[in-house]
Structure formats: C-alpha cells, structure tokens
Amino acid sequence: MPKKSSLTRDPSLTRQKLIDASVGLILRQGFNATTIDDICSESGLTKGGFFHHFENKNTLGRAVIQWWSQMGTDLYKKAWQDSEEDPLKQIHRMFDIMISFTERPDAPCVCAIGMMSQELSLTHPDLRKDCARELGLWTENMARMLKAAQKKHAPVTSFDPIQVAWFLNSLWQGSMLISKTRQKPQMIRDNLHLAQSYVNALFRSP
Amino acid sequence: MPKKSSLTRDPSLTRQKLIDASVGLILRQGFNATTIDDICSESGLTKGGFFHHFENKNTLGRAVIQWWSQMGTDLYKKAWQDSEEDPLKQIHRMFDIMISFTERPDAPCVCAIGMMSQELSLTHPDLRKDCARELGLWTENMARMLKAAQKKHAPVTSFDPIQVAWFLNSLWQGSMLISKTRQKPQMIRDNLHLAQSYVNALFRSP
Amino acid sequence: MPKKSSLTRDPSLTRQKLIDASVGLILRQGFNATTIDDICSESGLTKGGFFHHFENKNTLGRAVIQWWSQMGTDLYKKAWQDSEEDPLKQIHRMFDIMISFTERPDAPCVCAIGMMSQELSLTHPDLRKDCARELGLWTENMARMLKAAQKKHAPVTSFDPIQVAWFLNSLWQGSMLISKTRQKPQMIRDNLHLAQSYVNALFRSP
Amino acid sequence: MPKKSSLTRDPSLTRQKLIDASVGLILRQGFNATTIDDICSESGLTKGGFFHHFENKNTLGRAVIQWWSQMGTDLYKKAWQDSEEDPLKQIHRMFDIMISFTERPDAPCVCAIGMMSQELSLTHPDLRKDCARELGLWTENMARMLKAAQKKHAPVTSFDPIQVAWFLNSLWQGSMLISKTRQKPQMIRDNLHLAQSYVNALFRSP
DNA sequence: ACGCACGGGACTCCCCGTTGGT
DNA sequence: ACCAACGGGGAGTCCCGTGCGT
C-alpha cells in the first residue's frame, strides 16, 4: 500500500489531472483551440505547474494520445479477455462496447485520437506517428480476432483480416466524425449494426 | 456587360482567391490553426481586403464549406448525370470518382468538411449546421441512387438506402481521416473496394 | 513641404518613437533586460503596434544599432566637414565632441552599440555583424584623418593609422564602460586628454 | 580534518561548480540572459540546490564578480611577485599576461566584470559597486607599479600614475569589448603593443 | 476594393523564487 | 545539502478585428 503523504502534492496525480482536463477540452474544441490556460484553469493548476509536468504542448499531446489509447484498450480488452470464447463472439462484444459508447449520457461519442489525427497529421510528424501507432493497435486487435474467427469458422468468403479491420476502424472513426454534426448518436448505432451484419455475412455460407 | 476597371480588380475573383487559399491551408493545418494572416499572405492580399469580403473568420468558414461542397457535387455529378444509366452503375461511378481522389499526386485525399466538422461541431453551431447540411447532401445523393437501384433490381436483401448511404459516407470520411496518419492512400482504396463488394452483395441474390 | 495629415498616424514617426524609447531603455538596462512592454509603455503604443513596425525584437535591435550609428556620425561629422582644415585639428575636434558627450547633464556618457556588442556578440550573429560594421565606420573615419595628418605633417614616428584608430576607439569604448561603474564621468575626460597627448606625441618631432 | 560523507557532497565544491557554470554562461550571453535554470542544468544541480547556496540571482552575481576578480588577481600577481624586479619590467609582464589571454584557444578574450559593468551598472547599485571595486583593484596595482617606475626612472615626462592606470584599464576593457564583434583577437594584441610603446615613451627621455 | 497602422487580448513558454520533503 | 513540485508573473509573439485612407 503506497504511503500517501498528507500533502496535496502528488505529482502523478497532478499530471493525470492535467491530462484529464486536456482530454475533455480536446474532445470538445480540438487540440489547437485548447489553450494551456484552459487546461490549467480546468485542472486548478498554474502555467508554472503545467510546464513542470510537460515540456511543451506537443508533449502533452503525446501524453493525451497515449492515455486515450490506453484507456480505450482497457475498455476494449473486455471483449477478448476470455480467450476461450468464440472469436466471432469476441468481435460482437467489441461492437457492443462501441455501441455502449454511444449510449453514455453527457459524454458525446467522440475520439481524441480521431480529432488529433485530423488536426495535426500533416503538420506535427511526431503526433501523427503516435496517432498512427495507436490506430494501428485497434486494427491489430480487430484483425487478430478476425483471423482467429477465420480459422475457427472457415468461411467460404475469403477476406484479408487486416483490410477488414481497417475497414471497420475507418467506419467507426467516420461515424463518430459525421455524428458530431448531427448531435444525435443514432447514426453511429445504425452504422455499427450494419457493420455487425457485414461481419456476419463474411462468415455466413452463401 | 460589367465594365472592368483597368486595374486587375475583380471582386468576385478576389473573393475566390481568398477561399482557395483558405481551403488549401485548412486542408493542411485545420481551421483553427489557419490564421487570417496566413490566408492573406497566401493569396497576396491584406487584412483590409479580407475583411471587405468576409465579416469575420466564421463567415469565411461558411463560405469554405459552401464552396467545398459545391466543388464536390460538381465532381460527383458526373456519376449520375446520365439519368438513363443503371443506378447500380452510377454508384460504382461514384466509387470510381472517390478512388480517383486517392490517385492525384500532390493532393492528399482529405476533406475540408470532414476537418471542419471535427474541429468545430461542438463549438460553432452555425458551422456545424452547414457541415451537417453538406454531408447530408452527399448522403441524399447516394441514398437516391441506392433507392433507384432497389427499385430496379429488387434485391432479396432488404436495407434502408439512407442508412446504407450514411454507412458509406462514414466509411469514406473515416478512411480519409485515418489515412492522414499513414501517408499512403492505399488503405482508402482498399476500403472503397471493400465497400463496392459490400454494395454488390446487397444486390446479389444469396 | 510634406503634407502631414491631421491624424496622429505617422508611421515613420511612430517607428522613430519606438526606436527612441528603445535606445533610452537599452542605454540604461541593456538590450536583454529591455522588454517590449517597456518599450511600448514608454512610447505609448501597444504590442500590436510594435509588431507592426518590427518583425521581432532582433529587428528592432538592428534598427537601434543603425539609428545610433547614424546619429553618432551626424554629430562627429562636424569634426571633418570643413575639408580644408588641418586633419590634426579635425582629430582634436573629434576629441572635443567626445568630451562634450561627457558634459551633458542628465545624459550619461554611454554607447548603445557598446552595450549591444557586449551583450549580444557571441549569441546573435546578425547583431554582432551590425555592431562590427558601425564600430568599423568610426574607426575608418578616424583612420582617414590620421592618414591625412600623416601626409600633411610627415611625422618621424611611423604608425599604422588603422591600428591607432582602433586603439582610440577601444579606449573610448572602454572609458565609457568603466565609467559606468563610477558615476562621475571625469575619468573619461582624463582619458581623452591623455589620448590627445598621445596623438600629439605621434606628430611631434622627438 | 572535515569528515567527508560517503556521498560526493562537498558544499563548497558545489558552490564553486555553480560559480563556474555561471561564469561560463555570463561570458557568453551576459548576466541578464543567463537564467538560473541555465546555470543549474549546466552544473548538474537543481534550483533547490542553487537557492541553498545563493539567496538570489543578485547574490550569485556578486559571487561571480568576486571570484572573477580573485582569479584575475592570481594570474596578474605573477607580474609583480618578484618585488626586487624593475617595476617597468613588471608592467611589461602585465602586458605579457594580458597578451597571453588573447592566445588561449577555445577561450575568447572576454571579461565577466566588463560584461556585468555594462549590463548592470545603472540598474543594480550593489553589483555596480562591486564591479567598481574590482576594476579599481586592477587600476591600483597598475598605478602602484607606474609610481614605482616613476620613482626608479625619474622620467622627464610627468604623469599621474592613477590616470595612466585608468587609461590602460579602459583600453584593455574596450579592446576586449570591440574585439567581441570581430571574432579575431588580433586587434587586442595590436592595442596592447601600442600600449606598451605608450608606456615606454612615458619613461623615455625626449 | 483594397491597403496600412494600430488596439487589445490572447498564446506558448519561461523565469525567479518558495515550500515541503529526504 | 540537495531535490521535486508548484506559484505567480511576465516575455516575446501572434491574431482577430477596426478604422482611416485612397
């Protein structure tokens, strides 16, 4: 049990407060429009404190990407943690998790990495690479399950699991993007259901 | 016949120069990161000129959305202008056009409306509405063709043309988004081909 | 007669106000310690205005060097403007002018270029070059007079006019430097008188 | 005998490390441009450590002046340590030492006290006084030798040893100052040689 | 229709110094 | 004796927008 000092000074907690505040602001208004002042006043720190924890805004951006990806993976992990389960079922668990994101009240279904990829890919090489890596991770996990499902179910339709994984990832990101303009997340759910049928169709004998 | 002054001052042309410059910059670095100074120096004007044509940056944003959508529609229109053609073929023409966007050298396959939707939807209601309208237009066109194809081909698989159109639009936007992090547009093409198969499958008897 | 608009907007005058304020501040506290806010509040402008006239602080520094050198040359010019005069007499006029600098009340005898050379030579190559050029100008003028005096008076003591000019320039700069620590300019005057004797000795037959 | 802890913690050594780092940085970029962070990272300490040894930046400045002067005196002392020697010879030893400063590779011929006098005299009374004292020390030493030489050689030319000492000190400081803008120290050597001739001339019968 | 000068207000980043702990 | 976390307050730069002038 880590001994916490009575002091309100817990560096890793402070750092996390900064990241949390940043994530919230970035999701809403984007990375560029989010100022360090915003972040500080949101997290009750001062700029002096901010720059103790992060060398610059870019570094914060990388930490945000890192953290968002970690958080996502932790949530998605529930889909495949039962390694005995039918991989096709695991995939559907993934969809269920994604659908659940659309059902949280007071939390719009948006993606920090999607936002930062849009804004920063062509101007911030390091952030672009980080986004690419984390998007690739999602894809790899999905591809792994698809491949396992192929092995188990031997579908007649042949497909490349990686391509299909990118297809699903793109759909997911695009759904969240477009949905931001429409305020109601119903379309995302519709898309995910169509995607489920699509995946089912891959494994259904004609 | 409008009398041209001896000067090369053509207001609507100047306005267009501003929009062109803005589009280029927004595609690359986003709306928020694009400053009016950037736009002016890119288009060889001064801020005085800018503010003559646009009330503020927001107004410019709306003009950019408008213009980008118009330009897109003009390009996509070729897909359905031959109203006699099989609507399924028209849909495939749409895909061909989209694929051609990925093949232009020196012009990354990105969407200004996708960018602005991401950045501005939750903070700029007017721009959000504009984006929603223009994204809706694409969807409507696609849905119209899908419905016509349904009528013509009477597929066994039943589907809602509007839902499928949103599905395709989301995939398209998401593909461009993710592809920005990967620098090679191959993934977009793969996705579009999978989408073509998907649409074909909708109309193929099982 | 240049028509002045009734407006208080005279760009070149504003620019000069900025330079004047900068010079005053730099003389007192140095370039590094002089903030743009200082300059603005001293000259009644805002930072927005400042950056309209100068790209950055460095550019201002260059303008200050330029202006200081010009002002100096204008003052020293009186020493040699009568081209008929004995060059040795011209040199003594130079000394008189320098001595007069030590006698101005409320204006300490200091040199902006000396200050900036000290502070910036090893870190700001462009400013270093500018300082070098302007210091060289003073030296050239002095060397020119020395050479002319050599020609006219044919002294037995041989010397290199350029070396002696640098010697005098160094003495002058060093006098002002050290004198800053002593608050009374008497030492500068003593040094200048010694320098006059030194020059005289160069031309006196042994 | 002070007991050394097993740690390599030697307070007075640490203090010296801070001074050394400060001197190096001040010589290069001046006192104002040298930040405490610079000094800490240069000397491998943290700010906590810095403020343990120095109350504030001003206090450090005083220590730097003190240390620089001490170091200088130690070097110059060799000129006059043989008290039996002809004082004129001692003076020439001084010049030799100064010339040797111009010949060290990788160490530009610059003076920390000259730098700090320029930057701080008019704004930091305590530092100004310290600089004045240390500059006075050099002058006193030089004046002492000049006076002794007067006594010994009884020159026809009468002069005030203190005035001449200030003259030489000013020349020395000014040479280093101007030379910073020219990157090659040749001019300093030329000036010192001229100064040697000047001193010789004082003692030579006409 | 467009340019120039400028205001006012951020924005990123830095800098000196303090406080509590080891 | 030394360090890490943080506060408070700029510094330099930029940015949107205005208003006058042509």
Side-chain angles (χ1 to χ4, degrees):
Chain A
M1 194 176 300
K3 201 182 68 184
K4 281 279 163 57
S5 92
S6 61
L7 197 55
T8 48
R9 288 207 186 178
D10 181 339
S12 73
L13 193 144
T14 304
R15 197 185 131 98
Q16 190 53 42
K17 270 204 304 195
L18 285 166
I19 292 179
D20 288 347
S22 303
V23 167
L25 289 161
I26 290 171
L27 287 179
R28 185 171 150 67
Q29 57 196 23
F31 183 78
N32 284 324
T34 296
T35 74
I36 293 175
D37 274 325
D38 285 349
I39 295 165
C40 290
S41 70
E42 186 82 6
S43 57
L45 269 170
T46 63
K47 275 191 280 199
F50 177 93
F51 282 100
H52 174 71
H53 291 281
F54 298 100
E55 202 182 339
N56 50 37
K57 201 184 167 187
N58 234 34
T59 311
L60 167 74
R62 303 191 65 167
V64 164
I65 293 168
Q66 179 65 36
W67 182 83
W68 181 268
S69 175
Q70 187 56 53
M71 186 209 62
T73 306
D74 288 349
L75 290 172
Y76 288 126
K77 208 156 40 187
K78 293 182 208 153
W80 63 74
Q81 64 193 359
D82 179 1
S83 57
E84 300 298 309
E85 198 174 23
D86 180 346
L88 199 53
K89 202 138 204 183
Q90 290 181 347
I91 293 171
H92 281 291
R93 279 196 199 285
M94 281 288 281
F95 283 114
D96 291 340
I97 292 168
M98 290 190 259
I99 288 170
S100 78
F101 293 156
T102 70
E103 287 162 346
R104 293 176 304 185
D106 308 330
C109 183
V110 286
C111 173
I113 291 179
M115 175 68 95
M116 297 178 78
S117 299
Q118 271 283 27
E119 281 188 290
L120 309 167
S121 282
L122 306 185
T123 48
H124 294 65
D126 51 347
L127 294 174
R128 181 192 64 71
K129 264 185 214 157
D130 285 3
C131 288
R133 182 180 339 104
E134 308 303 342
L135 289 168
L137 237 88
W138 193 99
T139 305
E140 276 174 38
N141 281 320
M142 181 57 87
R144 183 172 35 74
M145 290 184 273
L146 285 165
K147 192 180 263 176
Q150 266 181 329
K151 197 164 267 171
K152 169 147 190 171
H153 297 282
V156 267
T157 327
S158 90
F159 62 90
D160 177 353
I162 295 188
Q163 277 188 16
V164 171
W166 281 120
F167 181 91
L168 295 173
N169 201 354
S170 299
L171 176 73
W172 175 224
Q173 285 290 342
S175 301
M176 289 188 287
L177 193 170
I178 293 184
S179 171
K180 292 172 89 168
T181 69
R182 318 185 77 234
Q183 301 187 298
K184 305 258 170 175
Q186 182 55 45
M187 190 209 68
I188 309 182
R189 283 195 282 274
D190 293 345
N191 279 347
L192 290 170
H193 289 134
L194 287 176
Q196 284 184 298
S197 313
Y198 172 72
V199 171
N200 283 338
L202 289 176
F203 289 93
R204 193 187 314 128
S205 44
Chain B
M1 195 175 295
K3 202 180 69 180
K4 283 279 165 57
S5 91
S6 61
L7 234 54
T8 50
R9 286 208 189 173
D10 180 340
S12 75
L13 193 147
T14 303
R15 194 187 133 97
Q16 190 53 42
K17 269 206 304 194
L18 284 165
I19 292 179
D20 287 348
S22 303
V23 168
L25 289 162
I26 290 171
L27 287 179
R28 187 172 148 65
Q29 56 196 20
F31 183 78
N32 283 323
T34 296
T35 72
I36 294 178
D37 278 321
D38 282 350
I39 295 164
C40 290
S41 72
E42 184 81 5
S43 56
L45 284 203
T46 62
K47 262 195 293 225
F50 179 93
F51 282 101
H52 174 73
H53 289 283
F54 299 101
E55 198 184 341
N56 51 34
K57 204 183 165 188
N58 231 40
T59 312
L60 166 75
R62 305 191 63 167
V64 165
I65 293 167
Q66 179 65 35
W67 181 84
W68 180 267
S69 174
Q70 186 57 51
M71 185 209 64
T73 306
D74 288 350
L75 289 172
Y76 288 127
K77 206 156 39 187
K78 292 182 211 154
W80 64 73
Q81 63 194 359
D82 179 0
S83 56
E84 301 298 310
E85 199 174 19
D86 181 345
L88 198 53
K89 203 139 204 182
Q90 290 181 346
I91 292 169
H92 280 291
R93 278 198 200 284
M94 281 289 280
F95 282 116
D96 291 340
I97 291 169
M98 291 189 258
I99 289 170
S100 77
F101 292 157
T102 72
E103 287 162 345
R104 292 176 304 184
D106 310 330
C109 183
V110 286
C111 174
I113 291 178
M115 175 70 95
M116 297 178 77
S117 299
Q118 272 281 28
E119 282 188 290
L120 309 168
S121 282
L122 307 186
T123 47
H124 294 64
D126 52 347
L127 293 174
R128 181 193 64 70
K129 263 184 216 158
D130 286 3
C131 287
R133 183 182 335 106
E134 308 302 341
L135 288 167
L137 236 87
W138 193 99
T139 305
E140 277 174 36
N141 281 317
M142 180 57 86
R144 184 172 35 74
M145 289 184 274
L146 285 165
K147 191 179 265 177
Q150 265 181 332
K151 196 162 271 172
K152 170 149 188 169
H153 295 282
V156 262
T157 327
S158 91
F159 61 89
D160 177 353
I162 293 189
Q163 277 188 15
V164 171
W166 280 120
F167 181 91
L168 294 173
N169 201 353
S170 299
L171 176 73
W172 175 226
Q173 286 290 342
S175 300
M176 290 188 286
L177 192 172
I178 293 184
S179 173
K180 292 173 88 169
T181 71
R182 319 186 77 233
Q183 300 186 301
K184 305 257 171 176
Q186 181 56 47
M187 191 209 68
I188 309 182
R189 283 195 281 274
D190 292 345
N191 279 347
L192 291 170
H193 289 133
L194 287 176
Q196 286 183 298
S197 313
Y198 172 73
V199 170
N200 283 338
L202 288 177
F203 289 92
R204 195 186 311 128
S205 44
Chain C
M1 193 175 297
K3 201 183 66 182
K4 281 277 161 56
S5 95
S6 60
L7 198 54
T8 48
R9 288 208 186 176
D10 181 338
S12 73
L13 193 146
T14 304
R15 197 186 130 99
Q16 191 53 42
K17 271 203 305 193
L18 285 166
I19 292 179
D20 288 347
S22 303
V23 168
L25 290 161
I26 290 170
L27 287 179
R28 186 173 150 65
Q29 56 197 21
F31 183 77
N32 284 323
T34 296
T35 72
I36 293 175
D37 274 325
D38 285 349
I39 296 165
C40 290
S41 71
E42 187 82 0
S43 57
L45 268 171
T46 62
K47 274 197 277 204
F50 178 92
F51 282 100
H52 174 71
H53 291 282
F54 298 101
E55 202 182 338
N56 50 36
K57 202 183 167 188
N58 233 36
T59 310
L60 167 75
R62 305 191 63 168
V64 165
I65 293 167
Q66 179 65 36
W67 181 84
W68 181 267
S69 173
Q70 187 57 52
M71 185 210 61
T73 306
D74 288 349
L75 291 172
Y76 288 125
K77 207 155 41 185
K78 293 182 209 151
W80 64 73
Q81 64 194 0
D82 178 1
S83 55
E84 301 298 309
E85 198 174 21
D86 180 347
L88 198 54
K89 201 139 203 181
Q90 290 180 349
I91 293 170
H92 281 290
R93 279 196 200 284
M94 281 288 282
F95 283 115
D96 291 339
I97 291 169
M98 290 189 259
I99 288 169
S100 76
F101 293 156
T102 71
E103 287 161 347
R104 292 175 305 185
D106 308 331
C109 183
V110 285
C111 174
I113 290 178
M115 175 68 96
M116 297 178 77
S117 298
Q118 271 284 28
E119 282 187 290
L120 308 169
S121 281
L122 306 186
T123 48
H124 295 64
D126 51 345
L127 294 173
R128 180 193 64 71
K129 265 185 215 158
D130 285 3
C131 287
R133 184 183 332 108
E134 308 303 343
L135 289 168
L137 236 87
W138 193 99
T139 306
E140 277 174 37
N141 282 320
M142 181 57 86
R144 184 171 36 74
M145 289 184 274
L146 285 165
K147 192 179 264 177
Q150 266 181 329
K151 196 162 269 172
K152 170 146 190 175
H153 297 281
V156 266
T157 327
S158 92
F159 62 89
D160 177 353
I162 293 187
Q163 277 188 19
V164 172
W166 279 120
F167 181 91
L168 295 172
N169 202 353
S170 299
L171 176 73
W172 174 226
Q173 285 291 340
S175 302
M176 290 187 285
L177 193 172
I178 293 184
S179 172
K180 294 173 87 169
T181 70
R182 319 186 75 236
Q183 301 187 298
K184 304 259 170 176
Q186 182 55 45
M187 190 209 68
I188 308 181
R189 283 194 282 274
D190 293 344
N191 279 346
L192 291 170
H193 289 133
L194 287 176
Q196 283 184 298
S197 313
Y198 171 74
V199 170
N200 283 337
L202 290 177
F203 290 94
R204 193 187 312 126
S205 44
Chain D
M1 191 176 298
K3 201 181 71 181
K4 283 277 166 56
S5 90
S6 60
L7 235 53
T8 50
R9 286 207 188 176
D10 180 338
S12 76
L13 194 146
T14 303
R15 194 186 132 98
Q16 191 54 41
K17 270 204 306 193
L18 285 166
I19 292 180
D20 287 347
S22 303
V23 168
L25 289 162
I26 290 170
L27 287 179
R28 187 173 148 65
Q29 56 196 22
F31 183 77
N32 284 323
T34 296
T35 73
I36 295 179
D37 278 321
D38 283 349
I39 295 164
C40 291
S41 72
E42 185 81 5
S43 58
L45 285 204
T46 61
K47 262 192 297 222
F50 178 92
F51 281 102
H52 175 73
H53 289 283
F54 300 101
E55 198 184 340
N56 51 34
K57 203 183 165 188
N58 232 39
T59 312
L60 166 75
R62 306 191 62 166
V64 164
I65 293 166
Q66 180 64 36
W67 180 85
W68 181 267
S69 175
Q70 187 56 53
M71 184 210 63
T73 307
D74 288 349
L75 291 172
Y76 288 126
K77 206 156 41 187
K78 293 182 210 153
W80 63 74
Q81 64 193 358
D82 179 0
S83 56
E84 301 297 310
E85 199 173 22
D86 180 345
L88 198 53
K89 203 139 203 182
Q90 290 180 349
I91 293 171
H92 281 291
R93 280 198 199 284
M94 281 288 281
F95 282 116
D96 291 340
I97 291 168
M98 291 189 257
I99 289 171
S100 77
F101 293 158
T102 71
E103 287 161 347
R104 294 176 303 187
D106 309 330
C109 184
V110 286
C111 174
I113 291 178
M115 175 71 95
M116 296 177 76
S117 299
Q118 272 282 28
E119 282 187 290
L120 309 168
S121 282
L122 307 185
T123 48
H124 294 63
D126 52 346
L127 295 173
R128 180 193 64 70
K129 265 185 216 157
D130 286 2
C131 287
R133 184 184 334 108
E134 308 303 340
L135 288 167
L137 236 88
W138 193 99
T139 306
E140 278 173 37
N141 281 320
M142 181 57 85
R144 183 173 35 73
M145 290 184 272
L146 285 165
K147 193 179 264 176
Q150 265 181 329
K151 197 162 269 172
K152 169 148 190 173
H153 296 282
V156 263
T157 326
S158 90
F159 61 89
D160 177 353
I162 294 189
Q163 276 186 18
V164 172
W166 281 120
F167 181 91
L168 294 173
N169 201 354
S170 299
L171 176 74
W172 174 225
Q173 285 291 340
S175 301
M176 290 188 286
L177 193 171
I178 293 184
S179 173
K180 293 173 87 168
T181 70
R182 318 185 77 234
Q183 300 185 300
K184 306 257 170 175
Q186 182 55 46
M187 191 209 68
I188 308 181
R189 284 195 281 273
D190 293 345
N191 279 347
L192 290 171
H193 289 133
L194 287 175
Q196 285 183 298
S197 315
Y198 172 73
V199 170
N200 283 339
L202 289 177
F203 291 94
R204 195 187 311 130
S205 45

